[in-house]
């Protein structure tokens, strides 16, 4: 077949982020269209998590790690979107280093600050929020459906993308064919919506207090931080190919035209910092997942996560930071739900040796609504591909 056609879109959107509310901004969307000539277009939308841009997670141009490209070769029309504050989309309040968390200002001296900055952020609130994220997903979904002529699409999300795609699917089931979540962040005790509503904000926006958590629009992350977090999940030989930290970090920097010039210890020799939007999220918890009985009924759901993922399964004692993938599976009300825990994989599985397994699993789910013969249930998948029920 012909190679998938690559098109970069800049989708206009009227922002609902308080920092630039009402402004028309651009949401970056990359399309890899593998539709056969004359055939109907089958759109798939892929959404990134909290800190890694969509192109890095889904379109890494290194060996066979390009998930979107592999799905396009399987004849899907694949769209990768980036929310405001991430990747190549508009990044309000994020170009000025003074808006980085005060606790991290030391990372900005001497690049770009010749002397340490201690004056506090210029914008003293969180940046994005659940509603602004849902609004941006809605804009891009409508753009994709209009562009392709389709009436529904499949959603694929990695990590914190569950926070955006899960509620969107609950609110818009007629537009969602299925939901595939890789390593989804799910806080069973997460912030509730406003009393008496399904998804309204529980507090007035923007949020500024406590100042140490919400009194600034962005944080930054480092290459060393990426490697340290990734290393915590490495428990199998050759789980991560040699040199992958360098490959991934280079891609992150290629998608952060400002952050690439920050950080380091030598003036004029920046090592780069990844700018991460500071979010205030609600509406993804025990209460909202079962709403209206839509997930697992109107919208089939498939969940995949790594057996060594230390990010998505944490202690119940952590309150808002208690995350649990099995609890998400249990909370989904309908029977059309699948879950796989795959051996020798961590939170960064899109860049690990099992990346191609994830590609295949998502392709089989999109094409057949089943994986390795299973249409429902939860399973442990060992290194030999043997499935053991977890229910």
């Amino acid at each position: 077949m012909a190679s998938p056609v690559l098109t970069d879109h800049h989708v206009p959107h009227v922002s609902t982020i308080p920092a630039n509310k009402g402004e028309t901004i651009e949401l970056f969307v990359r399309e890899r269209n593998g539709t056969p000539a004359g055939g109907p277009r089958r759109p798939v939308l892929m959404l990134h998590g909290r800190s890694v841009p969509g192109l890095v997670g889904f379109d890494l141009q290194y060996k066979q790690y390009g998930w979107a490209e592999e799905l396009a070769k399987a004849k899907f029309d694949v769209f990768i979107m980036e929310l405001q504050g991430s990747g190549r989309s508009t990044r309000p309040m994020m170009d000025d280093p003074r808006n980085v968390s005060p606790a991290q200002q030391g990372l900005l001296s001497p690049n770009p600050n010749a002397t340490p900055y201690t004056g506090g952020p210029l914008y003293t609130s969180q940046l994005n929020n659940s509603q602004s994220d849902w609004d941006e997903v809605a804009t891009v979904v409508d753009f994709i459906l209009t562009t392709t002529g389709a009436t529904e699409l499949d959603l694929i999300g990695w990590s914190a993308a569950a926070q955006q795609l899960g509620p969107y699917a609950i609110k818009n089931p007629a537009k969602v064919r299925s939901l595939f979540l890789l390593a989804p962040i799910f806080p069973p005790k997460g912030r509730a919506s406003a009393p008496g509503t399904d998804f309204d904000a529980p507090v007035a926006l923007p949020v500024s207090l406590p100042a140490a958590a919400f009194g600034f629009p962005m944080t930054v992350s480092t290459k060393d931080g990426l490697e340290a977090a990734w290393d915590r999940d490495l428990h199998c030989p050759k789980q991560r190919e040699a040199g992958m930290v360098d490959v991934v970090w280079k891609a992150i920097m290629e998608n952060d035209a400002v952050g690439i010039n920050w950080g380091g210890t030598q003036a004029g020799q920046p090592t780069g910092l990844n700018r991460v939007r500071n979010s205030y999220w609600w509406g993804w918890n025990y209460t909202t997942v079962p709403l209206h009985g839509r997930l697992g009924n109107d919208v089939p759901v498939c969940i995949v996560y790594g057996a060594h993922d230390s990010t998505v399964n944490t202690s119940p004692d952590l309150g808002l930071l208690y995350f649990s993938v099995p609890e998400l599976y249990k909370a989904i009300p309908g029977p059309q739900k699948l879950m796989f825990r795959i051996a020798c994989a961590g939170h960064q599985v899109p860049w690990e040796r099992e990346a191609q397994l994830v590609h295949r699993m998502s392709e089989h789910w999109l094409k057949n609504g089943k994986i390795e013969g299973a249409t429902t249930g939860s399973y442990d998948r060992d290194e030999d591909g043997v499935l053991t029920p977890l229910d």
Side-chain angles (χ1 to χ4, degrees):
M1 62 170 289
S3 298
V5 178
L6 186 153
T7 308
D8 285 344
H9 305 277
H10 299 271
V11 180
H13 170 76
V14 178
S15 180
T16 55
I17 289 179
N20 62 346
K21 187 174 182 179
E23 294 181 15
T24 298
I25 58 86
E26 291 185 341
L27 298 173
F28 179 82
V29 178
R30 171 163 291 177
E31 177 184 6
R32 287 191 178 273
N33 185 359
T35 306
R41 296 167 77 173
R42 173 75 182 278
V44 177
L45 173 60
M46 308 183 83
L47 180 64
H48 59 86
R50 185 182 68 89
S51 60
V52 175
L55 295 189
V56 182
F58 302 124
D59 203 38
L60 187 67
Q61 292 303 291
Y62 181 74
K63 297 185 178 181
Q64 298 297 311
Y65 291 97
W67 188 355
E69 189 168 10
E70 292 304 308
L71 287 179
K73 289 177 180 177
K75 303 181 181 180
F76 294 98
D77 192 357
V78 185
F79 295 80
I80 306 166
M81 76 167 288
E82 294 180 329
L83 295 162
Q84 274 195 90
S86 185
R88 303 184 186 186
S89 289
T90 299
R91 295 200 187 203
M93 302 294 168
M94 295 180 72
D95 287 352
D96 195 315
R98 290 173 291 183
N99 281 329
V100 171
S101 166
Q104 295 184 311
Q105 283 294 324
L107 296 173
L108 302 171
S109 179
N111 301 303
N113 298 333
T115 58
Y117 174 70
T118 58
L122 302 182
Y123 182 78
T124 57
S125 300
Q126 46 76 214
L127 189 64
N128 65 300
N129 58 73
S130 288
Q131 189 60 58
S132 68
D133 287 349
W134 298 332
D135 293 340
E136 291 170 21
V137 170
T139 289
V140 172
V141 167
D142 289 347
F143 166 79
I144 292 171
L145 296 181
T146 299
T147 299
T148 62
T151 58
E152 59 183 2
L153 79 176
D154 298 277
L155 299 176
I156 293 178
W158 176 23
S159 191
Q163 168 73 50
Q164 288 82 42
L165 298 187
Y168 179 85
I170 293 169
K171 292 189 284 185
N172 301 275
K175 296 181 180 181
V176 181
R177 188 176 186 274
S178 75
L179 180 60
F180 183 97
L181 298 176
L182 175 66
I185 297 293
F186 175 64
K189 303 174 185 177
R191 293 186 191 92
S193 304
T197 72
D198 285 355
F199 291 104
D200 288 353
V203 296
L205 300 174
V207 177
S208 297
L209 297 173
F214 299 114
F216 47 89
M218 65 174 160
T219 60
V220 291
S221 64
T222 66
K223 180 181 178 183
D224 287 346
L226 168 69
E227 185 169 15
W230 197 345
D231 285 352
R232 286 196 296 270
D233 287 355
L234 298 182
H235 296 279
C236 296
K238 300 181 180 179
Q239 183 176 329
R240 180 179 69 202
E241 185 177 352
M244 284 304 295
V245 174
D246 292 335
V247 170
V248 171
W249 186 254
K250 181 174 182 289
I252 291 173
M253 289 296 94
E254 287 173 348
N255 286 278
D256 193 336
V258 173
I260 195 173
N261 294 311
W262 292 0
T265 58
Q266 301 297 319
Q269 299 179 34
T271 54
L273 294 172
N274 178 30
R275 294 177 296 160
V276 181
R277 60 209 179 102
N278 189 17
S279 309
Y280 182 84
W281 287 332
W282 68 87
W284 185 236
N285 51 45
Y286 272 140
T287 302
T288 53
V289 169
L291 278 173
H292 312 299
R294 287 173 178 161
L295 295 184
N297 285 306
D298 302 306
V299 180
V301 182
C302 181
I303 299 169
V304 176
Y305 70 103
H308 303 306
D309 190 330
S310 61
T311 298
V312 298
N313 291 304
T314 60
S315 170
D317 300 330
L318 294 178
L320 292 175
L321 296 179
Y322 164 43
F323 304 139
S324 173
V325 178
E327 291 303 318
L328 171 58
Y329 175 81
K330 292 177 186 177
I332 294 170
Q336 297 184 73
K337 59 181 181 180
L338 262 175
M339 183 174 73
F340 294 91
R341 183 178 66 194
I342 57 177
C344 289
H347 196 65
Q348 317 299 347
V349 65
W351 311 314
E352 295 180 355
R353 77 178 191 195
E354 295 294 8
Q356 291 183 52
L357 170 62
V358 173
H359 300 172
R360 292 195 303 273
M361 295 177 93
S362 63
E363 178 186 342
H364 293 168
W365 170 254
L366 296 175
K367 286 184 174 179
N368 307 312
K370 61 182 179 180
I371 297 174
E372 299 190 15
T375 58
T376 188
S378 60
Y379 303 90
D380 180 83
R381 186 187 189 280
D382 70 15
E383 289 188 80
D384 296 320
V386 177
L387 301 183
T388 303
L390 291 171
D391 285 330

